[in-house]
Amino acid sequence: MNAFNIIITILTIIGSLGIFLFGMILMSESLQKVAGIRMRRILSTITSNDFRGVMAGLSITGAIQSSSATTVMLISFVNAGLISLRRSFSLIMGANIGTTITAWIIVLLGFGQTFNITSIVLPLVALSLPLFFSGNNMQRSWAEFIIGFAILFMGLQFLKSNIPMVDESSMFVQHFKNLVHYGFLSVLLFVGIGFLLTIIFQSSSAVMALTFVLAVDGWISFDIAAAMVLGENLGTTITANIAALVANRSAKRSALFHVLFNFTGIIWALILFGFLTRAIDYFMVQTTGHSIANDPESIPFGLAIFHTGFNILNTILFLSLLPASERLLKKIIPGSKLKRREKFRLVHIGSSYLSTSELSLIQAKKEIMVMASLIVKLFNLVPALMIEWDEPQYEKTYKKITKYERITDRIEKEISDYLTKVSESKLSHRGTEQVRTMLKIIDDMESIGDSCRKMATGIYLKNKEGIYFIQEIRDDLDHMFSLIQSALLVMSENVSKEKPDLAQASELENKINSLRDTLKTKSIESIKQGKYTHKTATVFTDLVHHCERIGDHVINVSEALSK
C-alpha cells in the first residue's frame, strides 16, 4: 500500500467515524428536545439518596446516548445551584454506567449475525420523513432521532467495511503489531491511545465503535482493546472539565470528581487487569463454548461486558468514598481563593460548552434572577444618596451606583450573547419563546439600571449647584421611592417563580402612575405659589419621571413572564 492509499484509507476511516458521530449527536439532541424539561425536573429534584442518583444518571444517559451531554448538563446545574456538589457525584457515576448502553446497542444491532440493523436504515429514514416535515415540533424531534439512529449505523457499517484487512506481510502491520508485544507497557500505551482518540473525537462511543472494528478485524487483541476502553472512559471526562473552566468552584469540583472517579477506576482495573480479562474469557467459554482468543466475532460482546462491569464495580467502590471525595475536592479547589474572582461576574453561565439547547435556558434564568436582585440593590442606593450628608460616604455611594450600573450593562450583554448562542441551536417552539422573553426581560432590567444612574447624576448635580429640596418634596419622593422599591421586589420575586404575581405588579404600577400625575400637578401649583424655583421643580420632576420609567420597565418584566 503506497502513501497515497494510506492517506485515503485514514481519511475514509475518519469520515466514517464522523458519520457515526453525527448520527450520535443528532440522536442525543433530538431526545433532549423531546424529554429535556422532564430531565431537568428529574435532576433538579433528586435529593433522596445516592442509589437513586446513580439510577437517574444511568437512565438519562441511556436515554440521550451521551454521557458528555449528561455530565455537562450536570456541571451547568451545579453551577446554577440546582444540584448540590454531593448529589452530582452519584449522578456522574450513573452517567458512566449509562454510557455503556451504547456499546450494547452496537454489539446487539451493529455486529449481530442473525439480524443486522444496517439493512433497514434506509427504510427507517423513509418512514421518518413524513414526521420530519410535520409542523409538530415533537414529531419532528422524533424524526430527527430516527434519522440520527439510522446515520449512526450507516457510519458503523462504513467503518466496518473500510478498515483494511490485516496483511501480515505488510511493514505497517508489522510495526503496528510490535506495539502489542511489550506486555504491560503495551496495555498502558493503548490506554493512552484510547484517551487521546476520545479527546480528539469528543465521543467515547465513536472511539468504542472503532475499537470494536479493530479488534474484530484482528488489528488488536481483546486485552489491548480492553485497555483502549479504559482510556476512552478517562477521555470522556475532558468535555465536562472544559465546560467547568469558567464555572463556579462547585461546578469545577464536580467536573474534577468525574476525573477522580474514572482515574481511580483505571488504577485498580490496571492492577487487576489480567484477572479481569481472564474472568471475561472464562465467562465467554462457559456461555458460548468459545474462547475470545479463538473467536474474534465475540470480542465486542466481551468488551461490552468489560465496559459495563468496570463502571458498575467502580461505582460500588466509590459509593462509600463519596464523603471523603467531597472533602478532598474542597481541599484541591478551596473556596476562599475563588470568591474574589467570582464577585462581579456571571456565576451561572459563561461556558463555551452549552449543556443542551433546551436545558441551557435554565442557566440563563438563574443569571437573570441574580441580575434582578442586583437591580434591587442598585435602586436602593438612590434614596440613600438623597439623604447622605457625609461627603466621603456620599462620594462612595455615588461611585457604587455607577459601578453597579456598569455591572448590569455587562451582565445584560453577556446573557444576551449567551442566549444568542443558544438560539443558534435547534430549539423547540417553547424554547424559542423563552429566549425572546428572556431577551426582553434583560433589556428592561438594563434600562432600569440606566434610569438609576441618571437619577444619581441628577441628585449629584443638584447638590453641586446647591439646589435645596424642601421637606414636602422629600416626603413626596420618599413615597415614590417606596412604591418603586415594592415594585422591584415583586419583579425580583416574579423572576424566580414559575407563575408570576401579575395582579400585585399591576396594582403597584397603577399606584406609581397615579402618584406621578399627582406630583406633576402639585409641582406646577407649588411653582405658582412660590414654594420653590423652576430649577428645583425641574430636578424634582426629572426624578419623578425616571421613577415612573422604572415602573414601566418593572411591569414589562412581570407581563413578559406571565405570557
Side-chain angles (χ1 to χ4, degrees), residues 51-86:
F51 177 75
R52 290 191 177 184
V54 170
M55 295 307 296
L58 188 160
S59 301
I60 292 170
T61 305
I64 66 176
Q65 286 297 295
S66 174
S67 62
S68 294
T70 303
T71 51
V72 171
M73 180 170 62
L74 284 172
I75 298 306
S76 302
F77 280 21
V78 173
N79 193 42
L82 295 176
I83 297 177
S84 68
L85 173 65
R86 177 70 169 74

Side-chain angles (χ1 to χ4, degrees), residues 11-26:
L11 291 176
T12 302
I13 293 170
I14 293 173
S16 301
L17 278 173
I19 293 174
F20 179 95
L21 190 56
F22 176 72
M24 178 68 68
I25 292 171
L26 192 58

Side-chain angles (χ1 to χ4, degrees), residues 183-193 227 270:
F184 190 69
L185 286 177
S186 295
V187 172
L188 293 177
L189 174 63
F190 278 87
V191 168
I193 290 173
L270 287 175

Side-chain angles (χ1 to χ4, degrees), residues 157-256:
Q157 184 61 37
F158 284 138
L159 193 62
K160 288 167 64 178
S161 61
N162 284 292
I163 294 288
M165 297 301 293
V166 176
D167 180 3
E168 298 291 343
S169 62
S170 167
M171 184 178 297
F172 175 77
V173 172
Q174 291 301 318
H175 282 301
F176 185 84
K177 283 186 169 290
N178 285 336
L179 295 176
V180 304
H181 292 155
Y182 297 107
F184 190 69
L185 286 177
S186 295
V187 172
L188 293 177
L189 174 63
F190 278 87
V191 168
I193 290 173
F195 173 73
L196 291 174
L197 286 175
T198 305
I199 292 176
I200 292 169
F201 289 101
Q202 286 292 296
S203 171
S204 60
S205 297
V207 183
M208 176 73 73
L210 175 63
T211 304
F212 282 0
V213 175
L214 289 174
V216 170
D217 286 354
W219 285 84
I220 54 178
S221 65
F222 173 73
D223 290 1
I224 294 302
M228 286 187 66
V229 169
L230 292 178
E232 292 155 16
N233 237 56
L234 183 61
T236 196
T237 67
I238 297 301
T239 306
N241 278 272
I242 292 174
L245 285 176
V246 292
N248 61 28
R249 60 187 179 278
S250 292
K252 286 182 171 69
R253 290 167 182 161
S254 185
L256 187 57

Side-chain angles (χ1 to χ4, degrees), residues 296-329:
E297 294 295 330
S298 66
I299 289 180
F301 188 68
L303 289 175
I305 295 173
F306 178 82
H307 193 202
T308 303
F310 163 75
N311 280 289
I312 290 175
L313 289 173
N314 203 29
T315 297
I316 294 172
L317 170 67
F318 256 83
L319 280 173
S320 61
L321 299 176
L322 294 184
S325 299
E326 184 174 14
R327 291 193 296 270
L328 175 62
L329 291 168

